[in-house]
Structures are given as C-alpha cells and as structure tokens.
Amino acid sequence: MRGFRPELVLSTAAVVASLAGAACSSPPDVARAEVETPGHPVAAPQLLPTPPVRHDHAQLDGRGFPDHVLALTWDDGPDANTLRLADYLASRRVAATFFVVDEWAGDLSEEPGRGPHEFETGYAYIPILGDLVALGHRLGNHTANHVLLQGAKAATVDFELRENQKHIDPYLTNELRIFRSPGGAWDDDAGAVVDHDPALEGLVGPVRWDVDRKDWENSLYCRSDRPRQECEPAAPESKSRVRASVTADRYIESVTRAGHGIVLFHDRVGDVGSDYAVRVARQVVPALEARGFVFAAPVLRFGAWRSRAADALTEGWIASLDLTTVRVTDANGDGRADLCGRGTGGWSCARSIARPESEPDRRPITLFEWDPMIATPFTHGDLVALPDAPLRGDLNGDGRVDECTWRAAGLECALSSGTKLLGGSTWLEGRRADLSGWPSGQVRFALADVNGDGRADLCGVGEAGVACALAP
C-alpha cells in the first residue's frame, strides 16, 4: 500500500488449542438451511470447549512462510475491472485475497486516485462480493471508506471497520474475518478499539505485506532513468506512466528475490477504472508459477475448531456411527463434502449446510445436518485417515494434493508445488493427544472441502461428535 510503512511484526496470535461457492452478486443462500423438516428439530450447535482468544492485533506479514509460498492480495476495490481480474485468477486456479472498500468519499478517503468515476467504486457501486467468493477468492476488510486509522479518533476506527465488516460477513463461507489497514497505518490505539468492540470479535490482522512494487503509483506516474523503455503516455490527463509490463517485471524480480511472503497489488489502481491491474496480473502469475511458486492465504492456519452438528438428532446419529465406515465426501453433488457412514438404521449421511450466525455476526456457519434420505453405501471418497497417518487434501484450491501431519507443536501442513511438497508450517496448534472436547474414545480425521470453496478443511469425527476447522 502507499505511504506509511511501520516496522513489520510477525504475529503469533493464539490459535484455538482444542484442535485444533457459479458467480452471484448476492449473499450465499443460507435462509433455506433454517427450515425445519418433519421429525428433525433444529437446535443451536453445542461448541467444544475453547480457551479464550487474545486479540493483540500485532501486524501480520509473510516472513515466516515456507519457501516458494506466496499470498497474492489486491486492495482498494472493487473497481470496473475487478471481476475480470478475479475471473482470470480463477482460470489459473489462484485463490486470491481481495481487501475491499464499501465506497470512496471525497471528504474522507485517503488518496482516491484519478478517473471520471473514482467516487463510484467500491462494492456499494459494484456489488460483486458474491461473485468474488463464488470464484474461490477471499474477502478482507479494508475499511468502509479507505480511511487511515493511525491517529484516527476511536469512533472513526470503530465505524470504518465495523461498518465494512457488517457488509462482508454474509459472504464469508470460510468464516475468516481478516483486515488490512489502508496504507498500513496502524497503532496501539486502533488495536485497542478493535479489542473492545464485540462486533469485531475474531478479526485477524492487520495484514501487512512483504513485496510491493508500487502498481498504484506506477499507473499514474513514471519516474525512470529509461523513459523510452519504461514509460508510456497513457495515464490520466495524457501524462506518462510506467508500462504495465515493466511493473510486472519489477514484481517478478522482487518476489523471486524474497522467495516467499505476502504480495501487495491493487485492483483499484491510481488510474481508476483502467485495466492496469489485469495486465500486470496476466504477466506476473504465469511467471511466478513457472518459477515454482504456489499461492495461499495471507494467514497460514485453519480457522476456529468448533462443533459442526446442526442439532441433537445429528449428534445422536454421529454417536451411533461405526467409525471405520466414516467418509467425508460430497454425497449430493452440491460441491460441499458431507459426513457419511453406517450407524443405527444402516448407511446414511449428514449433509453439509450453511446457517447465518446471530447478530452482529452474520457469517454463514458450516454445519452437518443428518439426512436419512441419503442412504446409499458410499464406496468412493477417502476413508477418514487414522489419527497418526498423514492427511491429504487440496488446502489452497490449486488442484494439487497437499499434506498435513501431526507434530509435537500441532498439525503441520505442507503445500505441493506439483513436483514436491514445500516446507511445512503449523496450521493448527496443540498436540493431537491433548485435544480438549474429545475426552475419550477414538477420533478420526480427514481433509475435505465441507464449505464448497475449493479448499480442504480439517474435520474430526469421534464419540464426542464432529468438529471442523475451515481452511483459510
């Protein structure tokens, strides 16, 4: 991001120790999941015990990422060409993170850029948040009006983050609340505001970056010792700017030198409404792929580990399961992995559904709901792995099989480059043998996409029930 750049601090924010969707432009349809069926009572799920989470909001960066693992992030949109960019990234099986703004205001927004419609951008004018999620991308909070938060009044900090999060929450199928402060401008006072607002509970960040080659500025200006090679007269008001191909080359060079981390781009560059960001991405992404880089989330860890049984009837069915028959597989073809196995009455499944949380948190929560109509024995899909065996699944949505293994510190996961597994990192803290919520009996685990975002989630099934932690 432009301007302010405080010293980077890699966060070690606490992770719960109990173990640890065709395009659309409206929120995911979660209302239908609330309808009761005959003989099928609906009750609030019982959560497994979790320790309190400390929200210190130290700034996150990617210095601790394994070698050749990158998080590609785009800020400030949506803009006129954001959907084109998202479509292109999805065609390359790249799950990106878009830090979005509600709307830009002339008297509030920092550095609005130039263009005939610069104040008609943001999702208030370009309502494509549902499209971005449907294409497999993540959404992050970038304040409602692109306001610098360092030194801002407490009421301003609270409004800018809370108002934006309120509109983002209904789209968060991965349940991940993540934010980036405009310009990287952040201080302890801003962090204290977030800590004391229940509406911002669980907000992760602010997310920093490790590589920025100034695509925002380059779309407006060209300061170069080689203007003939690097500049073009295509900026607003017929001024000179850096060629998109040159900006792309600079990103490729810097990322290659860094070797890993979080990369900052802008889908709403300084030349508002232009296709500059799309042209940069079309050169950068294939070049990085050719160099063996893989793309992941800016936070390499699973989300909150929580019970996923939708009601008491489902809990009773799970308790009756023969764990050796359990499979986590898409039984009804909706793109979400369901929980299937043989219990009382024979084979059946609990289908994966989404329900909205209660106000002020309206994230769709992924749950399993027993469905006796799905009763065919399943011979496809992976049997839930034995507790000490490696878990395999596509963690980042690129079509490759990644691997997770229990270590002393927790669940360590390594992404695949297609030819080898890259270095591992802890995606869930806590030893398997010490997991709370599973007081006795056997527990089996699997990696499967239970929320339909194309990325494998971690689930455990045992006598205590079913719990999952969603992939970022």
Side-chain angles (χ1 to χ4, degrees), residues 50 109 114 138 194 215 224 231 264 277 334 352 377 397 423 427 429 449:
T50 58
S109 304
R114 301 177 192 168
R138 304 168 198 86
V194 176
D215 57 340
S224 171
C231 304
L264 172 64
D334 64 355
S352 173
W427 281 50
E429 295 177 354
D449 179 14

Side-chain angles (χ1 to χ4, degrees), residues 4 7 38 86 111 114 118 133 140 190 233 250 252 300 303 313 316 324 341 379 409 416 462:
F4 185 86
E7 181 178 353
E111 295 188 90
R114 301 177 192 168
E118 69 264 37
V133 173
R250 293 176 183 176
I252 295 165
L300 296 183
L313 196 60
T324 65
T379 57
S416 172

